Amino acid sequence: MRGILLFGPQGSGKGTQGEKLSAWLQLPLVVTGNIFRSNIKSGTALGQLAQGYIQRGELVPDEVTNQMIQQRLAEPDCVNGFVLDGFPRSVAQAEALHNFTTVTHLLHISISDAEAVRRIAERRTCVANGHVYHVLYNPPKQAGVCDSDGSPLQQREDDTETALRRRLDIYHRATEPLLNYYRQRQLVFDINGEQLIAKVWTDIQAIFQTV
Ligand code: ADP
Ligand code: ADP
């Protein structure tokens, strides 16, 4: 069983590397932001609840988010493990996670805030499944179209500099302290995110080739 957490600030490459890791290890990729966004799109009660928080760049309350993740990780495809992107984001969420599953690795991808701002300004995501591109650093084969599923690419509504700065601030205040929680449990693998996408990926693969 491999319970893998992707951890790092906005723009560090969690989505980009998560797609690769999930395909390589054949484990489901669970992305909290994508679950919220697809619920908003289809107008579910969960989506309606989450929408305002997400637009403002604030965290959705724990009771909503924790239950959503608990249910998702209980699905049969997670029996051999999972790659989880976007959860936990606070010590309270980490403690909740600890009660319903096992974490074996936390991959901590670090970049500076300045690099986050540069990357997020030109990030594009696919409408259907949230696949991630960058206009310059990781362009799709055909402009505006997802390589994986052919759906249109768009800029996320919350990828404005103001909303991003708020999310980075929450990351540094509420989420980053979680590293200590996991370091004490010796589950943290540190990765330099300010390298080419291909090099970050080689560094991640090396972790699973030796551990
Ligand atoms: P996160 O999920 O951590 O917010 P993403 O994977 O969405 O990060 O990446 C943010 C943006 O930066 C995307 O546009 C992506 O294509 C681009 N990106 C990801 N990794 C790198 C990298 N190592 N170098 C340059 N750009 C990158
Ligand atoms: P980012 O990491 O770039 O902020 P995500 O796509 O991971 O974007 O998440 C989008 C939004 O969904 C967040 O700004 C937040 O409102 C909400 N969200 C995602 N994960 C969580 C979480 N673990 N707890 C609370 N809210 C969350």
Side-chain angles (χ1 to χ4, degrees):
M1 184 331 198
R2 276 175 167 154
I4 303 168
L5 307 182
L6 295 171
F7 196 90
Q10 286 69 17
S12 57
K14 301 181 298 296
T16 303
Q17 302 295 335
E19 286 174 27
K20 296 179 191 294
L21 189 59
S22 154
W24 186 53
L25 296 178
Q26 305 227 310
L27 293 173
L29 179 62
V30 177
V31 184
T32 50
N34 287 351
I35 302 177
F36 282 132
R37 281 185 287 274
S38 77
N39 274 277
I40 290 172
K41 213 164 91 182
S42 48
T44 66
L46 174 68
Q48 283 170 13
L49 231 159
Q51 191 161 24
Y53 296 98
I54 294 184
Q55 274 167 352
R56 291 189 296 274
E58 294 166 10
L59 293 183
V60 177
D62 282 355
E63 57 271 26
V64 178
T65 311
N66 293 359
Q67 194 190 15
M68 175 181 93
I69 290 299
Q70 180 167 13
Q71 283 171 359
R72 177 64 189 90
L73 297 183
E75 286 177 27
D77 63 332
C78 294
V79 63
N80 294 322
F82 52 83
V83 178
L84 182 53
D85 171 0
F87 190 92
R89 294 197 191 202
S90 62
V91 173
Q93 290 188 359
E95 280 166 354
L97 184 65
H98 187 73
N99 287 330
F100 54 76
T101 192
T102 306
V103 171
T104 58
H105 301 73
L106 181 150
L107 309 188
H108 171 221
I109 312 178
S110 49
I111 63 167
S112 66
D113 286 7
E115 178 67 9
V117 171
R118 273 194 292 276
R119 289 185 186 179
I120 294 300
E122 303 289 354
R123 169 159 72 180
R124 298 292 181 272
T125 48
C126 95
V127 179
N129 296 297
H131 295 122
V132 189
Y133 298 87
H134 188 280
V135 173
L136 300 174
Y137 305 142
N138 187 23
K141 292 196 179 79
Q142 191 188 333
V145 180
C146 179
D147 294 348
S148 306
D149 55 36
S151 77
L153 302 183
Q154 64 176 15
Q155 187 159 26
R156 271 172 45 182
E157 244 179 80
D158 61 347
D159 274 355
T160 60
E161 188 165 340
T162 316
L164 172 65
R165 296 250 180 227
R166 191 172 305 148
R167 278 142 63 210
L168 280 170
D169 183 52
I170 295 175
Y171 174 79
H172 291 306
R173 276 189 296 111
T175 306
E176 213 168 18
L178 256 185
L179 277 173
N180 276 337
Y181 177 97
Y182 286 101
R183 282 199 200 285
Q184 281 162 8
R185 290 161 179 78
Q186 300 186 318
L187 297 175
V188 177
F189 297 81
D190 290 293
I191 296 149
N192 174 8
E194 292 202 19
Q195 311 180 83
L196 290 176
I197 292 175
K199 175 67 169 82
V200 176
W201 173 231
T202 319
D203 288 357
I204 291 178
Q205 282 181 302
I207 293 167
F208 294 93
Q209 276 152 354
T210 55
V211 179

